[in-house]
Amino acid sequence: MNIAKSRARYSPANGLSQYYNEVHGFPILTVQHERALAMQWREREDHAAVQMLVNSHLRLVINIARGYRGYELPFEEVISEGNLGLLQAAKRFDPGMGCRLSTYATWWIRAAIHEYIMRSWSLVKVGTTAAQKKLFFNLRKLKNQMNIIDEGQLNPEQVSDISIRLKVPEADVVSMNCRMSSSDFSLNAFVADGSNEQWQERLRDEREDQETVFAEKEGTALRRKLLIS
């Protein structure tokens, strides 16, 4: 199934309210019906069958996506990414595993949303290693549980408490919290309200312009030729 088409099909592009209505209009499948559809896909690659599996679990994605509202990303985009994870789960689901698709798909949905969040946040702030990614999500969850999610810098007691709970060095807690607390600054932002000047226009390149560099190279080549002749 083409990913671009899938992204359009499983995205709440026409508004969340309309999307919610459409999602809740799909029936919840019985165990037998779910198994039959999964086998149709596995044995014959029946795209209609896999679409029915996905449609019946779109409400699951919404429920999971609500847990990521705190990252201040467009909710419809979070849902869209979660839906792509659901699609992958539906295509890989084996009813012989002895579990329902909802159980199996939860991991895929969360993984897709996590990847979207990591792409959306600055790599400078978050980092790229598996340990940093894990700390990023666990730190935010724990700060929320401690009711300090809106605080900037952590005090020593909070750092120590978090370090013990997450079993990571205090320095890592401080570093990741600083990355999460800082905000990205766009060079396309305007210098002031009502101004047409962007910050990037104030970045000066101290190097010579291309015309000057070319002229100097030509002059040097000409002088070398005269000296040799």
Side-chain angles (χ1 to χ4, degrees), residues 65-115:
R66 287 193 176 110
Y68 296 90
R69 283 186 176 274
Y71 292 97
E72 299 179 355
L73 295 170
F75 190 50
E76 60 273 16
E77 289 294 326
V78 177
I79 293 175
S80 179
E81 296 295 327
N83 286 346
L84 292 179
L86 171 61
L87 175 61
Q88 291 298 318
K91 294 169 69 174
R92 295 168 182 265
F93 178 59
D94 180 0
M97 294 186 296
C99 67
R100 295 296 301 271
L101 175 57
S102 58
T103 301
Y104 178 71
T106 296
W107 184 90
W108 286 92
I109 295 168
R110 293 188 185 280
I113 293 175
H114 283 191
E115 286 301 315

Side-chain angles (χ1 to χ4, degrees), residues 21-224:
N21 292 333
E22 293 176 355
V23 165
H24 286 85
F26 295 119
I28 297 176
L29 303 177
T30 64
V31 176
Q32 293 77 12
H33 195 183
E34 179 178 287
R35 179 183 179 86
L37 290 172
M39 294 307 297
Q40 285 177 235
W41 166 253
R42 292 178 65 83
E43 295 174 356
R44 303 194 299 272
E45 291 195 0
D46 186 338
H47 289 281
V50 80
Q51 185 171 339
M52 288 182 67
L53 286 173
V54 171
N55 289 345
S56 66
H57 290 79
L58 291 175
R59 53 173 59 87
L60 172 64
V61 177
I62 295 175
N63 290 335
I64 293 175
R66 287 193 176 110
Y68 296 90
R69 283 186 176 274
Y71 292 97
E72 299 179 355
L73 295 170
F75 190 50
E76 60 273 16
E77 289 294 326
V78 177
I79 293 175
S80 179
E81 296 295 327
N83 286 346
L84 292 179
L86 171 61
L87 175 61
Q88 291 298 318
K91 294 169 69 174
R92 295 168 182 265
F93 178 59
D94 180 0
M97 294 186 296
C99 67
R100 295 296 301 271
L101 175 57
S102 58
T103 301
Y104 178 71
T106 296
W107 184 90
W108 286 92
I109 295 168
R110 293 188 185 280
I113 293 175
H114 283 191
E115 286 301 315
Y116 166 66
I117 293 173
M118 297 302 294
R119 293 196 308 269
S120 300
W121 281 64
S122 167
L123 291 178
V124 175
K125 291 193 295 181
V126 176
T128 57
T129 68
Q132 287 173 322
K133 291 180 181 179
K134 183 177 181 180
L135 177 57
F136 172 76
F137 287 104
N138 287 342
L139 177 58
R140 189 173 186 88
K141 181 188 297 183
L142 186 54
K143 287 181 66 177
N144 190 46
Q145 294 173 357
M146 297 170 64
N147 294 320
I148 56 174
I149 190 66
D150 294 326
E151 293 187 17
Q153 299 302 314
L154 301 173
N155 62 48
E157 291 77 13
Q158 291 170 336
V159 171
S160 177
D161 187 16
I162 293 174
S163 172
I164 293 172
R165 293 196 196 187
L166 298 183
K167 298 179 181 180
V168 296
E170 293 186 2
D172 290 355
V173 174
V174 174
S175 175
M176 182 57 70
N177 187 65
C178 287
R179 294 176 180 180
M180 292 170 60
S181 299
S182 62
S183 58
D184 289 337
F185 180 79
S186 174
L187 292 176
N188 295 119
F190 293 111
V191 174
D193 292 339
S195 171
N196 292 322
E197 181 185 14
Q198 298 179 347
W199 283 106
Q200 64 179 354
E201 297 173 16
R202 294 192 176 187
L203 295 178
R204 300 182 62 181
D205 189 346
E206 301 298 335
R207 294 173 299 180
E208 296 284 356
D209 59 69
Q210 292 299 315
E211 290 80 3
T212 302
V213 172
F214 181 74
E216 289 181 351
K217 285 184 178 181
E218 276 200 328
T220 300
L222 178 60
R223 288 191 294 273
R224 184 180 294 114

